Amino acid sequence: MAIEVYLSEEKIQSRIKELANEINEQYKGKELTVIGVLNGAFMFTADLIRHLNIPVTLEFMSASSYGDGTTSSGKLEINLDIKKDIKDKHVLITEDIVDTGLTLSVLRKDLEARGPASLKLASFLFKPARLEHKVDIDFLGFEIEDKFVIGYGLDFAGRYRELPYVGIYNEGK
Ligand code: IMP
């Protein structure tokens, strides 16, 4: 098995600083509730909020989505919910990757129903080739090709989340 480096640690860190600057600018004078989607977004969330200079509270959530075959919305199973009431709060979801878009489209609807003052999404990666459910990404790290990637929070069978870079997983090589 060989891992080919796709996004280097340097490239990731410099892009994250740029994203944090955009977020600081957009939320100037406001307080922000960041909701990291576990497990994949833990590293992106940690690195991103280190560069924020606005007041931040941090929550984590874990959810699985299932397409039910008959509607395009899918079902959401929340494995771990946030503790805080987000009504009238400015909320930023942080996610590792938007692939088919199913998870984020249903998670976004669920959080929207809780009445936040605003709800935006920061996704580290976006794979446009696989998108089936439209998701608006307000802050995007990188658009990537249709490859299975690992590292920087993303896993293959639970492994490789700890890598500081994003690699392409080539099974059998
Ligand atoms: P969705 O298809 O947009 O709902 O993505 C669901 C989840 O699949 C993401 O949050 C990731 O955890 C996982 N995923 C999608 N593409 C990849 C990949 O290339 N590598 C690792 N995990 C992925």
Side-chain angles (χ1 to χ4, degrees):
M1 206 282 297
I3 298 171
E4 183 190 325
V5 177
Y6 186 69
L7 298 170
S8 69
E9 185 174 359
E10 293 70 26
K11 202 170 171 181
I12 292 171
Q13 292 303 328
S14 102
R15 182 71 190 120
I16 282 176
K17 274 186 207 147
E18 290 174 357
L19 281 185
N21 288 339
E22 280 179 47
I23 293 167
N24 284 330
E25 218 26 65
Q26 282 208 21
Y27 292 95
K28 210 178 238 167
K30 293 179 180 149
E31 289 184 15
L32 184 62
T33 302
V34 173
I35 303 180
V37 184
L38 293 175
N39 293 339
F42 79 97
M43 208 177 272
F44 173 54
T45 308
D47 283 347
L48 185 72
I49 68 168
R50 246 178 273 226
H51 299 291
L52 297 182
N53 57 23
I54 44 171
V56 165
T57 48
L58 177 63
E59 297 279 327
F60 284 103
M61 219 171 153
S62 168
S64 323
S65 54
Y66 306 93
D68 61 11
T70 52
T71 67
S72 60
S73 56
K75 286 192 169 65
L76 185 74
E77 189 181 318
I78 296 177
N79 310 312
L80 172 76
D81 205 347
I82 50 171
K83 304 267 185 301
K84 200 176 140 177
D85 182 3
I86 56 166
K87 188 159 174 29
D88 301 329
K89 304 285 183 196
H90 294 287
V91 174
L92 179 67
I93 308 169
T94 52
E95 174 62 307
D96 56 354
I97 186 166
V98 172
D99 186 35
T100 65
L102 179 62
T103 308
L104 254 299
S105 62
V106 281
L107 185 61
R108 210 175 168 141
K109 270 187 213 141
D110 183 281
L111 292 173
E112 196 71 72
R114 304 185 195 193
S118 68
L119 181 64
K120 291 195 174 182
L121 167 65
S123 183
F124 174 54
L125 301 176
F126 173 44
K127 236 188 248 183
R130 299 206 0 121
L131 193 71
E132 289 170 24
H133 306 267
K134 193 180 171 297
V135 175
D136 291 321
I137 303 174
D138 303 284
F139 306 96
L140 173 64
F142 302 93
E143 197 170 292
I144 64 164
E145 297 162 70
D146 188 9
K147 309 248 188 218
F148 192 83
V149 290
I150 51 163
Y152 200 73
L154 293 119
D155 75 309
F156 172 70
R159 291 272 336 266
Y160 310 109
R161 293 192 198 274
E162 73 282 10
L163 299 178
Y165 57 87
V166 170
I168 296 176
Y169 185 81
N170 292 308
E171 211 169 353
K173 278 196 190 166

